[in-house]
Amino acid sequence: AQSVTQPDIHITVSEGASLELRCNYSYGATPYLFWYVQSPGQGLQLLLKYFSGDTLVQGIKGFEAEFKRSQSSFNLRKPSVHWSDAAEYFCAVRGGADGLTFGKGTHLIIQP
Amino acid sequence: EPEVTQTPSHQVTQMGQEVILRCVPISNHLYFYWYRQILGQKVEFLVSFYNNEISEKSEIFDDQFSVERPDGSNFTLKIRSTKLEDSAMYFCASSERAVNTEAFFGQGTRLTVV
């Protein structure tokens, strides 16, 4: 069965600083990988996805993520965060036609 | 932009009652899903639905739960005899295909069982 680990429950970053959120997955074959963002009381918005091809994928709101098969990782990055980026971030994996398996999420706090 | 819509946004029900959560998936999507998020916890997969039948379900999706596509647009989750631990945010999602595509999520229905 697939699984996702997001080792950081909370991360605090100063506005304008760079950001990296970690995600490790477990799946036997090439997975489909996703990052979703959830603002308080809101639904899940897709930031970016990886299916195949170029291992560096670009998403919305200036986010990018890099798939590293050797490390079973799919870390999310942003060069300069904005206060509006404060939210909960979920990494998810999907194997084939199965439903998504989510990580526990990382709560991002932006300091002024 | 097409979106998944869920109603109601918030439902309060008494323990033991039945609830039906409603979803309108994106119109050309063929695969439908329900997920649950208990407050402060991760999002958990409940069930996927394709071609008018369940294609996959998790351990959470026991006999208390059922899904239905009663017409060409709605997709419902029924919870029979609700329990306090059913209190959660329930998300509906849909996707165009089973693979090589993302799922689009609705805004969720917050179910509170009292």
Side-chain angles (χ1 to χ4, degrees):
Chain A
Q2 61 246 30
S3 65
V4 176
T5 302
Q6 293 181 248
D8 304 305
I9 299 173
H10 299 277
I11 282 190
T12 300
V13 178
S14 297
E15 190 169 14
S18 63
L19 170 71
E20 182 169 29
L21 302 182
R22 296 184 289 165
C23 171
N24 291 95
Y25 69 90
S26 172
Y27 182 67
T30 300
Y32 302 123
L33 295 160
F34 307 83
W35 275 98
Y36 284 87
V37 61
Q38 183 182 34
S39 298
Q42 300 297 307
L44 296 162
Q45 182 182 24
L46 180 70
L47 284 176
L48 47 75
K49 60 186 183 285
Y50 172 78
F51 295 152
S52 64
D54 193 349
T55 56
L56 183 64
V57 293
Q58 302 297 319
I60 62 170
K61 303 184 180 185
F63 286 93
E64 67 177 27
E66 186 170 13
F67 170 58
K68 292 185 177 180
R69 185 189 301 276
S70 61
Q71 299 177 16
S72 296
S73 70
F74 188 57
N75 294 348
L76 181 71
R77 299 194 294 250
K78 186 170 185 178
S80 176
V81 298
H82 185 262
W83 64 266
S84 60
D85 293 324
E88 192 83 16
Y89 290 80
F90 292 96
C91 181
V93 64
R94 183 180 188 185
D98 300 340
L100 291 166
T101 298
F102 284 85
K104 292 186 176 182
T106 297
H107 184 63
L108 176 63
I109 301 165
I110 307 296
Q111 279 183 338
Chain B
E1 184 176 329
E3 60 180 15
V4 176
T5 56
Q6 291 184 243
T7 55
S9 56
H10 192 185
Q11 172 127 23
V12 181
T13 190
Q14 288 199 326
M15 191 168 53
Q17 296 298 304
E18 175 183 286
V19 294
I20 296 177
L21 309 183
R22 302 181 190 279
C23 169
V24 179
I26 295 173
S27 61
N28 65 331
H29 286 187
L30 301 177
Y31 294 82
F32 315 116
Y33 312 87
W34 283 101
Y35 290 82
R36 179 183 80 176
Q37 185 183 31
I38 295 172
L39 187 63
Q41 298 188 24
K42 68 177 179 178
V43 178
E44 300 172 291
F45 169 74
L46 292 178
V47 66
S48 59
F49 190 86
Y50 169 71
N51 200 26
N52 282 321
E53 60 183 29
I54 291 173
S55 53
E56 189 200 4
K57 60 182 181 179
S58 71
E59 295 175 347
I60 303 168
F61 194 88
D62 58 22
D63 292 343
Q64 182 194 11
F65 295 90
S66 62
V67 289
E68 191 178 30
R69 187 153 164 84
D71 54 42
S73 59
N74 291 284
F75 178 52
T76 62
L77 174 68
K78 182 188 292 186
I79 309 174
R80 287 182 281 275
S81 189
T82 50
K83 302 182 287 237
L84 293 177
E85 53 264 40
D86 294 327
S87 296
M89 182 75 92
Y90 288 82
F91 291 106
C92 175
S94 69
S95 65
E96 199 173 347
R97 301 180 297 277
V99 295
N100 285 348
T101 188
E102 66 265 34
F104 292 83
F105 283 78
Q107 293 297 300
T109 293
R110 178 161 296 286
L111 176 65
T112 303
V113 182
V114 297

